[in-house]
Amino acid sequence: MRSALLVLGAQRNMLEGDGAVPTARSVRTAVDRLLAAARAAGAVVVHVQNDGPRGYPDEPGTPGWELAVAPAQGELVLRKDVSDAFAANPGLAARLREEDVGTVVVAGMQSDFCVRATSRSALQAGFAVVLASGAHATHDDDASAAVLSREVEEELAADGVAVVPASEVRF
């Protein structure tokens, strides 16, 4: 069985400029490394672009909406306007199964929204799920972004997701 890398919401508004997540630089580095490893191993790579509402930094067509990491030829680019990439793209699970994917590696934005929801849906769809620690992040809320991301990792680990440092993820 193959692995797939799902890169969620790795868009300019999250990884560049004043509105970027606090750990944007290290997350970008980790995502770049995951992409290189996935591509070298022949894994399926899926970029999921978030479509925010009018006036939001990820409003379609605005400069912040653009993907920060360019997809390579043949990589799937999907869009979503809800947290869960599987709910927004009902054919995604079937498409991954057609590619003989058994494990889904999740990275990207935001830990407490899209990463959490998409990881849980991947589990429900029957995939083994690996959350690449250090390759996902969020904005500060009532708690610090680091605390929120760590809490999501703990929740998902309790659900059956393997939380693995991004540098140790293998495809």
Side-chain angles (χ1 to χ4, degrees), residues 43-64:
V44 175
V45 176
V46 181
H47 301 266
V48 183
Q49 190 169 20
N50 194 63
D51 289 346
R54 186 174 180 86
Y56 276 62
D58 55 357
E59 175 185 345
T62 63

Side-chain angles (χ1 to χ4, degrees), residues 16-131:
E16 299 173 5
D18 294 337
V21 297
T23 56
R25 184 174 298 189
S26 63
V27 168
R28 173 68 188 265
T29 298
V31 168
D32 286 346
R33 287 181 181 152
L34 286 169
L35 280 166
R39 290 167 176 161
V44 175
V45 176
V46 181
H47 301 266
V48 183
Q49 190 169 20
N50 194 63
D51 289 346
R54 186 174 180 86
Y56 276 62
D58 55 357
E59 175 185 345
T62 63
W65 173 77
E66 299 164 338
L67 292 172
V69 180
Q73 186 174 3
E75 293 177 348
L76 187 59
V77 179
L78 302 174
R79 293 171 61 180
K80 65 177 187 57
D81 59 3
V82 296
S83 291
D84 180 357
F86 287 90
N89 296 279
L92 177 57
R95 175 88 182 256
L96 293 174
R97 284 188 194 97
E98 288 172 6
E99 295 285 341
D100 197 33
V101 170
T103 301
V104 173
V105 177
V106 178
M109 305 296 146
Q110 292 194 68
S111 305
D112 48 340
F113 295 102
C114 306
V115 169
R116 176 193 284 144
T118 300
S119 295
R120 284 183 172 153
S121 277
L123 278 175
Q124 290 172 349
F127 296 102
V129 180
V130 174
L131 176 57

